């Protein structure tokens, strides 16, 4: 976030992150950020509505936008030289429109986290369409589109047709100090998954591929580490419980970014099995750290991975092929080393900010 702020305006000196404060918010890591975090209280009514299973997503975004504007007004920012950087197209559009009603006229820069949100899901398409309706009332100063492999250039063209200044940005991969911390014995072979445990990410396919690999391996020192949490966790643990090799899969839950990096550094290969796109930050960080990435070939993965040279590309959904590829990288430390070195160079040359 700090690096992106410098790119938006290098003359910015003070930075503050504004984030929602609601029931269940994990604020334990707030103090670890180099930028101070200001938590804005959300409506207690929304919490009650959520507990009653009522749809509140759109209402939450609207009320949060007003809460942010009210907080900024309290802090008397109207006459300060300020840039507001908002994550999320609809939230950004709401903030852009609402700020003038609080007599705050500073520019708003929006970050869109998926390349083309019209292609992400039906709900995403509807919310993005609402944002474009608001853009007719007031346009942001700029809209940054995170390149996740799904139509970023196409979305930039859509923005241009609506007179909005759009720019594509890469994930903020810090290649300045890659580590080589081992989280396991040098004789172990460990694969890792770092995706959220939600249906979209299809971590079940990564686990199934690993278990099939184990069925053909006599080595008891192979392991899989699953980082992250989500609604799929119980189902994934049931998959492991039903397999004679399920004990080799370890679920570590949500961990902070530094611990995730340490787990990546202690692994031999990363499995990426989203059926949507795998051009995410954890895949690129693993490549930067010199790890072999085995990924479904979707979301324009070929732009950063040359099959067999800087990673392994697999037909989407083909867990038999993924199991065979795991076996190949397991059997050849030399292959892992060569692919990892090429992957690290590729990320440093084409995706890193440093």
């Amino acid at each position: 976030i700090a690096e992106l702020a410098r790119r938006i305006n290098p003359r910015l000196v003070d930075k503050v992150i504004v984030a929602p404060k609601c029931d269940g918010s994990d604020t334990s890591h707030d103090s670890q950020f180099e930028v101070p975090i200001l938590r804005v209280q959300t409506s207690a009514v929304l919490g009650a509505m959520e507990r009653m299973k009522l749809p509140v997503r759109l209402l939450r975004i609207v009320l949060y936008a007003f809460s942010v504007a009210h907080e900024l007004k309290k802090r008397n920012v109207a006459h300060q030289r300020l840039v507001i950087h908002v994550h999320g197209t609809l939230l950004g559009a709401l903030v852009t429109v609402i700020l003038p009603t609080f007599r705050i006229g500073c520019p708003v820069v929006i970050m869109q986290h998926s390349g083309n949100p019209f292609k992400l899901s039906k709900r995403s398409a509807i919310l993005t369409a609402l944002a474009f309706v608001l853009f007719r009332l007031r346009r942001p100063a700029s809209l940054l589109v995170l390149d996740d492999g799904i139509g970023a250039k196409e979305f930039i063209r859509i923005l241009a047709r609506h007179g909005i200044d759009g720019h594509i940005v890469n994930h903020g991969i810090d290649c300045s100090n890659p580590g080589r911390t081992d989280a396991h014995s040098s004789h172990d072979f460990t694969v890792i998954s770092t995706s959220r445990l939600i249906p979209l990410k299809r971590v079940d396919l990564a686990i199934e591929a690993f278990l099939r690999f184990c069925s053909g391996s006599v080595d008891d020192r192979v392991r899989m580490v699953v980082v992250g949490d989500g609604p799929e966790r119980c189902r994934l643990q049931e998959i492991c419980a039903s397999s004679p090799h399920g004990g080799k899969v370890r679920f570590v839950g949500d961990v902070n970014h530094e611990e995730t990096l340490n787990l990546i550094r202690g692994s031999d290969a990363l499995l990426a099995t989203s059926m949507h796109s795998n051009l995410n930050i954890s895949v690129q960080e693993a490549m930067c750290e010199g790890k072999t990435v085995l990924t479904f070939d979707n979301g324009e993965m070929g732009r950063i991975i040359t099959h067999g040279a800087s990673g392994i590309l697999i037909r989407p959904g083909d867990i038999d092929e993924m199991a065979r590829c795991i076996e190949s990288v397991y059997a050849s430390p030399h292959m892992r080393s060569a692919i990892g070195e090429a992957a690290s160079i590729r990320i440093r040359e084409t995706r890193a900010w440093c």
Side-chain angles (χ1 to χ4, degrees):
I1 290 174
E3 178 62 30
L4 187 55
R6 285 190 285 270
R7 286 195 159 216
I8 293 171
N9 188 333
R11 290 177 294 277
L12 289 177
V13 178
D14 296 321
K15 294 173 283 292
V16 175
I17 297 173
V18 181
K21 181 181 181 181
C22 52
D23 293 342
S25 293
D26 181 6
T27 62
S28 59
H29 302 303
D30 285 8
S31 61
Q32 299 178 18
F33 281 80
E34 64 175 280
V35 179
I37 296 178
L38 170 65
R39 291 282 178 173
V40 175
Q41 184 67 51
T42 56
S43 172
V45 175
L46 290 176
M49 292 176 66
E50 285 184 329
R51 287 190 289 273
M52 292 186 290
K53 307 298 184 182
L54 298 176
V56 297
R57 179 177 174 82
L58 181 56
L59 181 59
R60 177 181 291 279
I61 295 173
V62 172
L63 292 180
Y64 180 60
F66 274 100
S67 297
V68 169
H70 182 258
E71 185 66 34
L72 294 175
K73 182 67 174 180
K74 282 199 313 183
R75 291 174 175 265
N76 194 29
V77 302
H79 303 294
Q80 297 180 25
R81 301 181 69 180
L82 184 73
V83 175
I84 296 179
H85 172 208
V86 185
H87 286 241
T89 299
L90 179 56
L91 177 60
L94 285 163
V95 170
T96 301
V97 170
I98 290 170
L99 284 182
T101 67
F102 286 79
R103 299 181 183 276
I104 301 174
C106 57
V108 175
V109 176
I110 298 173
M111 165 68 87
Q112 166 59 44
H113 280 268
S114 59
N116 186 349
F118 287 112
K119 289 187 172 182
L120 184 60
S121 66
K122 183 177 180 180
R123 183 176 70 176
S124 174
I126 292 172
L127 296 178
T128 305
L130 289 175
F132 275 85
V133 172
L134 294 171
F135 288 152
R136 296 176 186 174
L137 302 176
R138 188 168 184 251
R139 292 193 292 266
S142 185
L143 199 153
L144 307 177
V145 182
L146 185 65
D147 181 13
D148 70 345
I150 301 296
K153 291 182 179 179
E154 180 183 14
F155 193 60
I156 290 292
R157 289 193 291 269
I158 294 173
L159 293 173
R161 290 200 297 268
H162 288 81
I164 299 170
D165 180 45
H167 301 273
I168 296 175
V169 295
N170 295 332
H171 291 85
I173 310 299
D174 182 6
C175 296
S176 59
N177 188 30
R180 296 291 172 182
T181 304
D182 284 332
H184 58 84
S185 163
S186 61
H187 299 292
D188 288 345
F189 175 78
T190 302
V191 300
I192 189 170
S193 167
T194 55
S195 298
R196 288 172 294 155
L197 307 188
I198 58 176
L200 181 69
K201 296 298 184 179
R202 295 307 306 269
V203 178
D204 59 320
L205 299 181
I207 292 174
E208 292 280 9
F210 173 74
L211 294 176
R212 293 191 187 191
F213 155 70
C214 290
S215 297
S217 172
V218 297
D219 193 340
D220 289 332
R221 294 170 296 183
V222 296
R223 297 287 184 268
M224 180 174 185
V225 175
V226 178
V227 180
D229 211 341
E232 287 277 279
R233 180 164 180 165
C234 289
R235 187 175 76 86
L236 298 176
Q237 290 176 322
E238 289 173 358
I239 292 174
C240 295
S242 65
S243 167
H245 303 288
K248 297 177 180 179
V249 181
R250 180 165 68 99
F251 292 81
V252 299
D254 275 329
V255 297
N256 63 35
H257 182 247
E258 187 58 36
E259 180 60 22
T260 299
L261 279 179
N262 282 334
L263 289 168
I264 289 173
R265 290 164 182 161
S267 67
D268 297 284
L270 181 140
L271 308 183
T273 48
S274 170
M275 298 295 287
H276 171 64
S277 172
N278 291 291
L279 191 61
N280 54 51
I281 189 168
S282 59
V283 164
Q284 294 172 74
E285 284 179 333
M287 293 176 66
C288 182
E289 295 290 342
K291 302 303 176 182
T292 300
V293 169
L294 297 87
T295 174
F296 287 160
D297 187 10
N298 53 20
E300 304 176 13
M301 289 303 296
R303 287 198 285 119
I304 66 168
I305 289 180
T306 300
H307 178 65
S310 54
I312 305 293
L313 297 175
I314 298 163
R315 287 187 300 273
D318 192 337
I319 58 177
D320 286 327
E321 183 184 358
M322 177 164 280
R324 290 192 293 270
C325 290
I326 296 173
E327 170 64 33
S328 296
V329 299
Y330 161 75
S332 178
H334 175 74
M335 175 194 292
R336 296 200 301 269
S337 178
I339 288 177
E341 183 176 354
S344 184
I345 293 172
R346 186 68 172 269
I347 292 299
R348 291 165 183 271
E349 291 181 346
T350 64
R351 304 291 293 188
W353 286 4
C354 53

